[in-house]
Amino acid sequence: MKILRIGAKGAEKPALLDAAGRARDLSAVLPDITAKALRPASLATLRALDPESLPLLPDNARIGLPWAGCGKFICVGLNYADHAAESGMAIPAEPVLFTKHTSTMIGCNDPVVIPQGSVKTDWEVELGVVIGTTARYVSEEQALSHVAGYCVVNDVSEREYQLERGGTWDKGKGCDTFGPVGPWIVTADEVADPQQLDMWLEVNGFRHQKGSTRTMVFNVAQLVSYISRFTTLYPGDLISTGTPPGVGMGVKPHATYLKPGDVMQLSIQGLGTQRQTVHAWNPELIDG
């Protein structure tokens, strides 16, 4: 099942995709797709619906964040060995964790806005893992049972802020609009193996990233288990699991970064496609 939210910012309607890929309005069933709606019982209720009985939503409507009320946006760094190599960093012995502020989160096709003074804004296609049941000190064997579904994430990053401004990665990861998510959540029952998903990202039609979750250093089950030792994971929390090689920072002989007018397009097998246009600093694109 693919669930999403359709409509203008602040006025999104809950929806699911039917067999033909058309968005069906869930408003008569639930007021919104929230963290609570991602729990197993709620998903089972939605799964039992006949999509053909639900009203169609407009084909050209904005796709918003797939769910409302994400409590934590936890990310994993250097989780692909070849990306660590292009970054000039060692393969980690344990997962490298950082957070993105939930205020970074935008719809899959919303504008990405370069921060004031940025010179090194970069792209990263990543597999997102959406939590469906509370996870605290869970085993690797039980970890995937706590996952509601999966989605595409673009972990947009300002490399100067991240690496050259005196400390934590969060500075370069937490800027407004730096977390496009979606277009939808694909529920876990439809993803046979999250470690067998191809992924890619293009900028202006040139394919910079081409990889697979097969080459993760730490797989999804390991990550959910590991993270649950340090913080309780609740329904609606999001884990972004790292990126394969091909980021702008790694382009040889000279790093390449995003500029106004660039168009990013990215996809993960079975999880949909995102497309964002990059804009110069404009608070109206963030708040509007």
Side-chain angles (χ1 to χ4, degrees), residues 48-149:
L49 296 172
D50 175 11
E52 300 296 325
S53 69
L54 302 171
L56 283 167
L57 287 166
D59 290 336
N60 59 351
R62 170 184 174 268
I63 301 175
L65 285 170
W67 77 103
C70 176
K72 291 191 284 291
F73 190 169
I74 300 172
C75 301
V76 184
L78 306 175
N79 197 33
Y80 289 72
D82 32 15
H83 171 57
E86 74 175 351
S87 303
M89 300 180 187
I91 298 171
E94 294 190 33
V96 174
L97 304 181
F98 61 93
T99 59
K100 289 176 85 80
H101 310 302
T102 55
S103 57
T104 64
M105 296 174 70
I106 60 173
C108 63
N109 303 324
D110 288 347
V112 167
V113 180
I114 295 177
Q116 289 186 9
S118 166
V119 293
K120 296 182 179 180
T121 295
D122 205 347
W123 56 83
E124 294 189 8
V125 58
E126 305 200 358
L127 173 67
V129 179
V130 186
I131 300 299
T133 60
T134 300
R136 183 185 293 122
Y137 294 105
V138 301
S139 68
E140 290 181 22
E141 292 73 23
Q142 292 297 316
L144 294 186
S145 69
H146 294 271
V147 175

Side-chain angles (χ1 to χ4, degrees), residues 9 62 104 106-114 176-178 180 264 275-279 282 284-286:
K9 281 186 181 180
R62 170 184 174 268
T104 64
I106 60 173
C108 63
N109 303 324
D110 288 347
V112 167
V113 180
I114 295 177
D176 293 330
T177 75
F178 272 23
M264 292 180 283
R275 186 181 188 276
Q276 301 105 28
T277 299
V278 179
H279 294 261
N282 182 346
E284 292 183 3
L285 293 175
I286 297 169

Side-chain angles (χ1 to χ4, degrees), residues 215-250:
T215 65
M216 283 184 181
V217 178
F218 305 101
N219 65 33
V220 171
Q222 290 171 320
L223 292 174
V224 172
S225 174
Y226 182 86
I227 294 168
S228 78
R229 303 177 200 174
F230 301 98
T231 184
T232 300
L233 295 169
Y234 293 102
D237 286 351
L238 174 62
I239 300 170
S240 198
T241 57
T243 198
V247 299
M249 178 175 63

